[in-house]
Amino acid sequence: MFQFFISIRRSPLFMLIDVTQHDSSFIAAEVDAMYVGIYHYRGLRLRLFLFFLIILSIALISSDYLGYAVGPVNGIEALAWLTDPGTSFLSALVIFSGTTLIIGDYFKQIQLSGTSNLLIIRSQTRRCATLKAYVTIFLTTFILMLSTFVLVGLAIHLLRFPMVFNNKQLVEELQFGYSWASLVWIIFSRAWGISVFTMFAFAVGLWIPRLGLYRLSGLIISLTMYLGVATMGDVSWLRMVGAALFLPNLIAPTTVADFGPYLLHISPILLQGLSIIIYLGLTCLLTMSWQHHEAEK
């Protein structure tokens, strides 16, 4: 049995609960305790440290920026390029798949251990628990990526490419009239885009029966939604659907909204909004179908 599950079973809260009771208030309390437990998950701090270290190292050492840039590099652009596969494929893959391994892994272990089935004995509680799981995944991922981009952006500014907050400076990712506003948009749009993708990857992972395969799923899904979906742009009537599913448009729309066949005359902000709606819809569809499948067992 997993170590985190053992710690939950030994907690006073767990031992006070008789899972044969049909008292939803007791069950809800234990479910809440599981969600709070992610912040005490064994190995979480090490994974967070390694994730941040890899992204920081790529940002400060990689020479990809120099080959892509025309003229002096603005630190705002350098930060935005971290999530652009065309500029730094390695960092984009680490970001796309890393959160699945860091955040979603905890809830996948709960699912496979049978803890959720042991505690959730009413369909209403099951729906509530699933919703809480997704909210926790979104908020935890959002805070993680927000902190990562702020700290990495500060390091880029101080150690490699200074951020030039000058409206006359040409910045590719400039979406607003002020560089400060564009910087805030870059950080927040990528943070919530990655959070939505992590939820989608977890929904796909519900159908994966083994933990080892799930830990590889983030990489496989990200490659599929990047390289695989890119081919949809060659078919005119699939172009809008492909653009919405194209992973960089969900996470970094300001860098790839005009990528190749997806030359769409649409604002990157609207394009990301469309992608979020599509990905959330697919997440709901996958989750409901999985719950229906489990209920029939």
Side-chain angles (χ1 to χ4, degrees), residues 14-295:
F14 186 93
M15 290 186 292
L16 285 173
I17 295 177
D18 177 4
V19 296
T20 62
Q21 297 182 63
H22 289 257
D23 190 332
S24 59
S25 62
F26 282 109
I27 298 171
E30 180 60 26
V31 170
D32 289 339
M34 287 196 301
Y35 299 139
V36 174
I38 189 174
Y39 303 108
H40 305 285
Y41 176 32
R42 184 185 299 274
L44 178 62
R45 294 180 181 179
L46 177 60
R47 295 185 187 187
L48 291 175
F49 174 76
L50 292 176
F51 177 78
F52 175 76
L53 183 62
I54 293 172
I55 300 302
L56 180 63
S57 299
I58 295 174
L60 297 181
I61 299 174
S62 175
S63 60
D64 292 342
Y65 300 132
L66 302 180
Y68 184 75
V70 178
V73 176
N74 190 331
I76 299 176
E77 292 175 308
L79 179 62
W81 290 341
L82 279 176
T83 52
D84 181 5
T87 305
S88 183
F89 188 71
L90 177 59
S91 68
L93 282 184
V94 171
I95 291 174
F96 292 169
S97 60
T99 53
T100 300
L101 181 59
I102 296 173
I103 308 300
D105 187 75
Y106 173 81
F107 292 98
K108 183 61 179 179
Q109 290 193 45
I110 289 179
Q111 176 206 347
L112 294 178
S113 69
T115 310
S116 56
N117 292 331
L118 181 66
L119 294 174
I120 302 170
I121 58 178
R122 292 183 177 180
S123 59
Q124 183 177 0
T125 306
R126 182 183 297 275
R127 289 193 295 269
C128 180
T130 303
L131 177 60
K132 287 183 178 180
Y134 280 117
V135 170
T136 304
I137 290 172
F138 179 88
L139 292 179
T140 306
T141 306
F142 182 78
I143 294 173
L144 167 62
M145 297 313 306
L146 195 65
S147 303
T148 299
F149 286 131
V150 169
L151 294 176
V152 171
L154 181 62
I156 290 175
H157 175 68
L158 295 176
L159 302 176
R160 193 170 192 193
F161 302 120
M163 294 184 181
V164 181
F165 297 97
N166 183 346
N167 293 337
K168 296 180 180 179
Q169 173 91 10
L170 178 60
V171 179
E172 181 181 353
E173 283 74 28
L174 190 66
Q175 291 296 303
F176 303 96
Y178 299 93
S179 299
W180 274 106
S182 295
L183 175 61
V184 171
W185 158 255
I186 288 171
I187 292 174
F188 276 83
S189 64
R190 280 150 178 76
W192 63 55
I194 295 169
S195 301
V196 170
F197 175 73
T198 305
M199 294 168 60
F200 170 73
F202 179 73
V204 175
L206 290 173
W207 294 90
I208 300 176
R210 296 185 179 275
L211 183 62
L213 293 177
Y214 174 78
R215 288 173 172 171
L216 295 174
S217 65
L219 178 62
I220 297 173
I221 295 171
S222 60
L223 286 173
T224 301
M225 305 310 288
Y226 173 56
L227 299 176
V229 174
T231 61
M232 297 176 64
D234 296 328
V235 183
S236 59
W237 60 276
L238 289 177
R239 188 167 299 168
M240 182 61 72
V241 177
L245 291 174
F246 191 48
L247 185 56
N249 283 339
L250 171 68
I251 297 175
T254 52
T255 58
V256 292
D258 59 349
F259 175 78
Y262 295 126
L263 187 58
L264 302 174
H265 300 288
I266 181 174
S267 166
I269 298 176
L270 294 178
L271 182 56
Q272 188 187 43
L274 176 62
S275 295
I276 288 175
I277 293 173
I278 296 297
Y279 271 89
L280 287 179
L282 291 175
T283 299
C284 292
L285 181 62
L286 287 168
T287 303
M288 288 187 296
S289 59
W290 175 79
Q291 288 181 333
H292 179 71
H293 175 266
E294 291 296 303

